[in-house]
Amino acid sequence: ADPATFETINREYGRDRSRVYHRQFPIEGADPASFEHVGGLFWKDKHTAYYAAKPIPGSDPDTFRTLRYSYWSRDRDNVYVGVDPVNPRDIASFRQISEQWARDDVWYYAQNYGKYQPFEELDLATFKILEGAWAKDCCRVFWLGNVVEGADPATFTTINQFRGQDEAWVYLMGTRQRTIEEERALQERNKSQP
């Protein structure tokens, strides 16, 4: 860093006449004259946008903005989660529903361990987003965009954002955990303990 021209932008960022720094490390290619905060962990300069000091490939800094959830952003051509593009089918109608789900007029998009992908394995007419990462349609139950094998959508309800149940089983984060009878016995044991 050039001490004569260095200035602090915030606790984690600074710049001198030729470079932008995140903590003590230079951000390669960042333009110090145009580097500015967009919101949350997002920044931009005249060339590109950045998430946590990492460039977002293909982003348009002129139309770049953050969305409702802290790691979501968009520009005129795409939506991003961190630095990863979502590539919605219809950018004009794209909207977030929750941290785990988004949609446009063509598809729903499901979070699958940090990545958001078009979720094409559903019946749009009966699809319903439940609590947290849970959803269901007429034929299947889903967790983070994956089919929950064996779950009965007709009787499935959420217990909380991580747990759900149907008439026979309790599920934890999309995985069959125990039968309803085993769950009731476990709850009774827990109630009887001081």
Side-chain angles (χ1 to χ4, degrees):
D2 175 21
T5 61
F6 185 83
E7 67 175 343
T8 300
I9 299 172
N10 69 13
R11 290 179 36 201
E12 295 195 11
Y13 289 85
R15 68 176 141 217
D16 62 23
R17 68 175 173 210
S18 60
R19 290 188 158 184
V20 176
Y21 301 89
H22 178 243
R23 299 185 180 138
Q24 71 267 27
F25 302 103
I27 302 172
E28 293 303 319
D31 177 59
S34 62
F35 193 78
E36 64 180 313
H37 188 234
V38 178
L41 296 176
F42 291 100
W43 297 75
K44 69 179 184 175
D45 66 15
K46 67 182 182 179
H47 304 295
T48 193
Y50 302 84
Y51 177 74
K54 296 176 187 162
I56 301 173
S59 61
D60 174 38
D62 293 331
T63 60
F64 187 83
R65 63 185 173 91
T66 60
L67 295 176
R68 182 169 146 198
Y69 296 101
S70 62
Y71 46 86
W72 288 75
S73 62
R74 74 173 291 161
D75 60 24
R76 73 169 176 249
D77 298 320
N78 214 334
V79 174
Y80 308 92
V81 177
V83 299
D84 297 317
V86 174
N87 300 313
R89 301 293 196 269
D90 181 19
I91 188 76
S93 66
F94 184 87
R95 58 204 175 274
Q96 294 172 281
I97 298 170
S98 69
E99 286 189 64
Q100 292 84 15
W101 296 96
R103 77 162 299 170
D104 61 25
D105 288 346
V106 180
W107 294 113
Y108 278 86
Y109 300 84
Q111 179 200 48
N112 192 343
Y113 299 100
K115 304 280 185 195
Y116 286 78
Q117 316 244 323
F119 189 51
E120 301 168 3
E121 299 179 31
L122 55 86
D123 179 69
L124 286 171
T126 62
F127 183 71
K128 181 179 179 184
I129 294 171
L130 305 172
E131 187 176 3
W134 295 104
K136 68 180 181 177
D137 66 12
C138 64
C139 308
R140 293 161 297 223
V141 173
F142 308 98
W143 166 263
L144 288 177
N146 296 302
V147 174
V148 179
E149 294 299 328
D152 175 24
T155 61
F156 186 86
T157 59
T158 59
I159 298 169
N160 60 38
Q161 65 179 346
F162 301 109
R163 298 180 75 221
Q165 70 182 45
D166 62 20
E167 65 184 357
W169 295 93
V170 173
Y171 301 86
L172 174 65
M173 297 171 61
T175 303
R176 188 181 283 177
Q177 189 178 26
R178 63 179 65 95
T179 67
I180 290 293
E181 292 79 22
E182 290 169 334
E183 179 73 9
R184 287 186 187 127
L186 179 64
Q187 289 176 4
E188 286 301 316
R189 275 195 310 270
N190 289 341
K191 283 181 188 175
S192 66
Q193 292 180 0

